[in-house]
Amino acid sequence: MPSTPNPLHGFQVDRARIRTIGRDLQRPECILAERDGTLWAADARGGVTRIGADGQQRFIGQQADPRFASAAQASTHDVEAQYTQGTLPNGLAFAANGDVLIANFGTDRLEVMTREGHTRTLHDTLDGQPIGKVNFVLRDSKHRIWLTVSTRVNPWTQAASSRVRDGYIAVLDEHGLRVVAEGFHFTNEIRFDANEAWLYIVETTGPHISRMRVVESAQGVRLTGREVFGPSHLGGFPDGIAFDAHGNLWCTLVMVDQLIALTPQGDELLLLDDGDPDASRVLLRRMEDGTLTTDDMLRARGTLAPWMASITFGGPDLRTVYIGSLMGTTIPFFTSPVAGLPMVHW
C-alpha cells in the first residue's frame, strides 16, 4: 500500500458539488464506465441504458417492460413485482469482446448482451439445479467470470428478512461453472484488490464485508481463508463496493443510504449520509429481530440516489464517482480525492 497519508481521512462529499447525469432512468443499479466517458447503466425495462460522454442516452434491450415505469414512486406491490417477475438486469460487467455480461435478478440467469441488444443465456442452472437469485457478475484479468447468487430461497425477500446464509460464489473458467464458496448472508457485489490476491465479498444481511484469498491450482482457481474485513456490523446493509488506488474499499449502505469507505486497516469512514435517521433506526431494529417488512424498506431512503446500490470510478483520471441506485431516475456523481482502480476492459 502507498506510504502517503490516506486521502480519505477527513474527506466528506460536498453535497453542493454533486451533479447528475441521465434522465428518466429505471433502476440504474449497476454502472459501467468506459475510458471515453460512456456509461452503461442497468435498466429495469430489460437491458441497459447507454449514456454518451455528451449526455445523449439510449435504451438498449430486446423489449421494454412498462411495469417499471414508476419505480421512483413505487408502492409495496410495485417493488415486490419488480423483484419477483420477469427480467431485471442487476450486476453488469464487460465481456472480453466488449459485450455486456448481465446478472439477471429477475430471470435468475447469467446472460450476455451485445451492444445492439441481442441477448443469450450463458447459465441458468448449476449441477442440474436452478442457479438461484443471481446478483452480480465480475470478470478478472484472466478472463474468468465470477458470479454471486444471493439466495436460493423463493421468494428472495424471505431470505433478506430472516438473514438466511445460503448465498454463494461461482466461477466460470475452462473447467466450467462451479461453486467456489458458499454460506454467505445474501451475497451481493464482489471485487478484487489491486493484485487479485483477495476477493472481497458483500454480505448484505451480514451486514459486513468478507474476504477470501485467491489460490491458483492445476484444478482451477479456488478461494480459501474466509474472514470478516472491517466491522462485523457496518451500521447498514452493504450493497456495492469499489476499490480506490490507495486501497480504500468504498461501499454503499442501501436503504440507510450512506456512502462509507473501509481503509486498508479495516477502519470505517463515513463519506456521505443521505438517509432518514428515524426510518433507518426502524429498519435496522426490525432486521435484527426478524420483523422487517417491505414497507419498512420503502420508508428508509434518501433523496440523492434512493436506495444507493453501487459505486463506479470513471472519467479520464478515474476520479469521478458515480452512484447507482435501486429507486433513482438519474445518476449522481462527484469528484474523489483519489483515483479508483481501473476496471477490467476488453
Side-chain angles (χ1 to χ4, degrees):
M1 294 297 174
S3 58
T4 55
N6 193 327
L8 291 190
H9 281 304
F11 171 72
Q12 293 279 312
V13 178
D14 183 351
R15 295 175 69 99
R17 295 181 177 273
I18 297 175
R19 293 176 289 167
T20 62
I21 189 170
R23 65 188 185 282
D24 302 321
L25 302 176
Q26 302 302 323
R27 194 180 176 275
E29 199 279 350
C30 187
I31 301 159
L32 300 180
E34 293 197 78
R35 297 181 182 93
D36 66 358
T38 301
L39 302 179
W40 300 77
D43 194 298
R45 292 170 292 180
V48 299
T49 294
R50 179 190 183 277
I51 306 174
D54 59 359
Q56 295 296 309
Q57 67 183 57
R58 177 169 61 101
F59 169 71
I60 303 171
Q62 291 185 302
Q63 64 180 25
D65 191 334
R67 288 176 302 148
F68 300 99
S70 58
Q73 288 79 38
S75 67
T76 297
H77 177 269
D78 295 332
V79 170
E80 290 177 345
Q82 284 189 31
Y83 287 91
T84 58
Q85 302 174 25
T87 184
L88 189 63
N90 202 70
L92 307 177
F94 287 122
N97 64 353
D99 289 347
V100 180
L101 296 164
I102 299 175
N104 198 311
F105 201 78
T107 62
D108 297 350
R109 297 171 181 164
L110 173 61
E111 302 166 343
V112 61
M113 190 185 79
T114 69
R115 297 189 172 208
E116 292 73 42
H118 303 294
T119 306
R120 62 187 175 92
T121 299
L122 294 179
H123 289 277
D124 59 4
T125 62
L126 201 162
D127 296 332
Q129 299 296 318
I131 203 166
K133 194 54 63 178
V134 174
N135 189 303
F136 190 70
V137 60
L138 181 69
R139 183 169 62 90
D140 67 20
S141 62
K142 296 182 173 62
H143 304 302
R144 296 177 295 219
I145 297 173
W146 298 75
L147 186 70
T148 70
V149 175
S150 296
T151 182
R152 282 193 169 107
V153 172
N154 189 13
W156 70 270
T157 49
Q158 293 181 1
S161 61
S162 59
R163 302 187 70 222
V164 170
R165 293 185 60 182
D166 69 336
Y168 66 90
I169 300 169
V171 66
L172 176 61
D173 60 10
E174 69 274 15
H175 301 281
L177 181 69
R178 67 188 191 283
V179 175
V180 288
E182 54 191 336
F184 297 100
H185 290 98
F186 210 81
T187 337
N188 208 308
E189 288 200 14
I190 51 176
R191 297 287 179 186
F192 291 101
D193 65 2
N195 298 320
E196 295 188 353
W198 290 88
L199 182 68
Y200 289 72
I201 305 149
V202 172
E203 297 191 65
T204 295
T205 58
H208 53 244
I209 308 296
S210 298
R211 68 177 183 177
M212 299 185 73
R213 189 175 293 278
V214 180
V215 178
E216 306 282 353
S217 72
Q219 291 72 41
V221 65
R222 58 189 178 89
L223 300 175
T224 187
R226 178 178 171 182
E227 62 186 36
V228 173
F229 176 72
S232 59
H233 194 302
L234 290 172
F237 308 115
D239 192 325
I241 53 175
F243 274 104
D244 66 28
H246 194 90
N248 299 298
L249 183 63
W250 295 50
C251 176
T252 61
L253 301 180
V254 67
M255 293 179 285
V256 303
D257 281 1
Q258 293 179 346
L259 175 62
I260 65 170
L262 299 179
T263 69
Q265 296 74 36
D267 298 324
E268 182 176 350
L269 306 175
L270 178 62
L271 306 181
L272 175 66
D273 188 350
D274 189 46
D276 179 319
D278 292 335
S280 294
R281 279 192 290 270
V282 171
L283 182 82
L284 291 166
R285 185 179 70 249
R286 293 188 174 172
M287 170 62 83
E288 196 66 30
D289 61 23
T291 61
L292 184 65
T293 68
T294 306
D295 284 333
D296 296 326
M297 297 180 191
L298 285 170
R299 292 189 193 99
R301 68 167 93 174
T303 57
L304 288 171
W307 285 17
M308 286 186 190
S310 64
I311 291 293
T312 300
F313 287 90
D317 57 2
L318 291 177
R319 289 178 181 264
T320 303
V321 177
Y322 299 95
I323 304 178
S325 66
L326 303 184
M327 292 286 180
T329 58
T330 189
I331 299 171
F333 66 95
F334 60 88
T335 300
S336 164
V338 61
L341 284 186
M343 297 174 63
V344 176
H345 286 272
W346 56 96

